[in-house]
Amino acid sequence: MERVVGVDIGCTKMYLYAQVNGEHVEQKVSTGLDCPREQLKHDIDTFLEGLPFVPEGLGMAVPGLVEGDSRVKLSDISSLTGITTDYFGGGRFPVRFINDVKAATVAETVNYTDKDTIAVIMAGSGIALGVYSKERMFKGAHGFAGELGYCVTSTENGPKTLDSLAGGIGILMQAGCGIEEFLERISSKDSGTEKLLTEAGFHFGLALTNVIHLFNPDVIVIGGSTATYPGYMEQALETAQKHTLPDMFNHCLIAPAKDNKRIVALGAMEYMRSGMQL
């Protein structure tokens, strides 16, 4: 199966990807938590119509809980909740859904074939975890394992989720501005913004410590735009090293995603192409 298209539906944007004669064909469109499913379908169909082939399959990575590979049980993008693959495929080609961080994990397994246990953390609008160990994805009882961003920690202002403390949307809410203004503050080295990112990195570092202690991975791959903010990962790694058992920390490679821009879409494509069962 060669003519496969990958779709990464995120909480702020959707990324669509295909390869044509070895060349990248890609597009980004805006989404949002209240993006209607009709708009998502329209943007996907428009992208597909511009390709010089009819897809043999469509791999779709979505934020939220996926039942099997054909239904979204719950998503941060409300219009996706309850949707099935038939809505997007319509009998034209097969479609498979996969949770977005599990898609990223599928993509990275190709890069670490010699490792026993691979953990992938996507730090974007929210934070989620995928773990692939002994050639199997860790799914939990109902396939929903990995919602790292919903883990709760105690703060001086009461219990808070990791998403609210260190996820992209949570950071913007703390900053009290939109993404464009936030990026301008970063560029101008605003002291308040730098402090906020350091604090967010601290909480993300504690999450790294917990992942290492719980799963003992050979490697943790970190992707997502939030992890690229200045100071965020530096503080996270310093915090993780300080609070993790030395033998476990020293035997765990912490590395950036090989292709941070495409990681989720590539994983969705591989999931569709390979017929992999999670």
Side-chain angles (χ1 to χ4, degrees), residues 236-256:
L237 292 173
E238 179 182 328
T239 301
Q241 184 171 20
K242 180 179 179 180
H243 294 284
T244 306
L245 290 171
D247 281 349
M248 296 183 74
F249 184 86
N250 293 334
H251 288 90
C252 178
L253 170 67
I254 300 177

Side-chain angles (χ1 to χ4, degrees), residues 41-202:
K41 186 176 187 302
H42 173 268
D43 289 336
I44 291 170
D45 285 346
T46 299
F47 179 77
L48 297 179
E49 288 166 4
L51 298 176
F53 56 74
V54 176
E56 295 177 275
L58 185 65
M60 297 186 63
V62 300
L65 310 180
V66 178
E67 289 182 327
D69 62 4
S70 62
R71 182 177 183 270
V72 179
K73 182 178 179 65
L74 180 67
S75 177
D76 294 324
I77 299 178
S78 58
S79 68
L80 288 177
T81 297
I83 204 166
T84 67
T85 52
D86 289 341
Y87 181 77
F88 293 102
R92 298 172 296 170
F93 39 74
V95 178
R96 297 183 81 190
F97 288 150
I98 182 173
N99 166 268
D100 49 7
V101 73
K102 288 183 173 63
T105 306
V106 169
E108 289 295 335
T109 60
V110 176
N111 299 317
Y112 295 97
T113 56
D114 60 330
K115 301 300 184 184
D116 178 275
T117 301
I118 304 163
V120 175
I121 302 176
M122 294 300 290
S125 299
I127 299 172
L129 166 71
V131 177
Y132 189 82
S133 182
K134 295 175 170 56
E135 300 184 351
R136 296 192 65 180
M137 190 78 70
F138 183 81
K139 300 187 299 179
H142 305 290
F144 304 147
E147 293 297 329
L148 185 61
Y150 284 94
C151 290
V152 177
T153 189
S154 178
T155 73
E156 61 183 17
N157 296 316
K160 300 289 184 181
T161 65
L162 180 62
D163 273 351
S164 68
L165 296 168
I169 291 177
I171 289 172
L172 289 179
M173 291 182 68
Q174 293 177 70
C177 66
I179 184 62
E180 297 302 328
E181 181 179 340
F182 189 74
L183 293 175
E184 289 178 4
R185 293 183 188 179
I186 290 176
S187 296
S188 64
K189 299 186 182 301
D190 174 71
S191 60
T193 301
E194 290 178 340
K195 182 174 184 292
L196 176 57
L197 289 174
T198 297
E199 292 174 351
F202 168 78

Side-chain angles (χ1 to χ4, degrees), residues 221-238:
V221 176
I222 299 173
S225 58
T226 299
T228 67
Y229 290 157
Y232 185 95
M233 280 306 304
E234 290 84 353
Q235 181 63 52
L237 292 173
E238 179 182 328

Side-chain angles (χ1 to χ4, degrees), residues 1 96 106 269-277:
M1 186 179 286
R96 297 183 81 190
V106 169
M269 289 176 70
E270 178 63 20
Y271 185 60
M272 180 73 246
R273 180 184 292 117
S274 67
M276 176 188 294
Q277 298 298 317

